[in-house]
Amino acid sequence: MTERRLLLLNGPNLNLLGTRQPEIYGAGTLAEIVDRVRAVAAEHGLEIRAVQSNHEGELVDAIQAARADCAGIIINPAAYSHTSVAIADALAAVELPVAEVHLSNIARREAFRHHSYVSAVADTVISGAGPLGYEFAVRYLAERLAG
Ligand code: DQA
């Protein structure tokens, strides 16, 4: 592997973490999650490109751009998990290892959250571990890239 960079992609409304339904998503902010992800990635000699967007097309653009200079993708597609064929198609197209993260356990929530289009193209899905899920995702990708 030449690239030592992971794309960390967060979808709609995750910019509101900290104030958004903390009983479901916790009290931590997205900035805190990104800081932690960067620290864990650094332990593995990896750097992080962090992108958050509320717009489906921007998420697709970021995934496509990753093909050129990233070695893997950590994505919390948020609500687009349940609706977006475009994001799933982009992830399949770039052929990078993908770790899908959800702060909450989507299987334990409303029925409309039970299906994720992204899960069909993800290499691993971590759901319900809170911010720790992002840390698992970094370690998973680091190990995959090493071996
Ligand atoms: C989420 C779960 C989604 O169902 C929801 O739309 C989100 C966040 C999570 O991290 O638990 O915005 O992806």
Side-chain angles (χ1 to χ4, degrees):
M1 180 195 50
T2 50
E3 303 297 343
R4 297 297 298 170
R5 186 178 302 108
L6 302 177
L7 174 63
L8 169 62
L9 202 48
N10 281 286
N13 301 306
L14 294 172
N15 54 312
L16 301 179
L17 287 177
T19 56
R20 175 192 182 198
Q21 296 174 285
E23 69 284 4
I24 296 175
Y25 298 113
T29 65
L30 184 59
E32 287 165 353
I33 288 173
V34 172
D35 282 353
R36 182 70 191 137
V37 166
R38 283 194 203 285
V40 175
E43 288 174 25
H44 297 278
L46 292 163
E47 68 174 69
I48 295 294
R49 173 184 300 144
V51 175
Q52 187 279 327
S53 177
N54 295 324
H55 304 279
E56 186 175 19
E58 285 182 9
L59 295 165
V60 170
D61 287 345
I63 293 165
Q64 290 187 9
R67 184 184 218 162
D69 60 2
C70 291
I73 299 176
I74 299 166
I75 182 168
N76 183 344
Y80 286 136
S81 316
H82 318 301
T83 64
S84 181
V85 175
I87 289 173
D89 279 355
L91 290 168
V94 298
E95 296 182 327
L96 292 170
V98 173
E100 177 183 359
V101 175
H102 298 281
L103 291 157
S104 62
N105 179 356
I106 57 175
R108 216 160 69 173
R109 299 185 61 195
E110 303 96 318
F112 68 86
R113 297 186 201 276
H114 293 178
H115 177 261
S116 165
Y117 286 97
V118 170
S119 296
V121 296
D123 296 281
T124 186
V125 182
I126 303 152
S127 180
L132 197 55
Y134 289 91
E135 183 171 335
F136 292 155
V138 177
R139 295 198 193 282
Y140 168 81
L141 289 174
E143 191 158 305
R144 258 194 76 132
L145 297 171

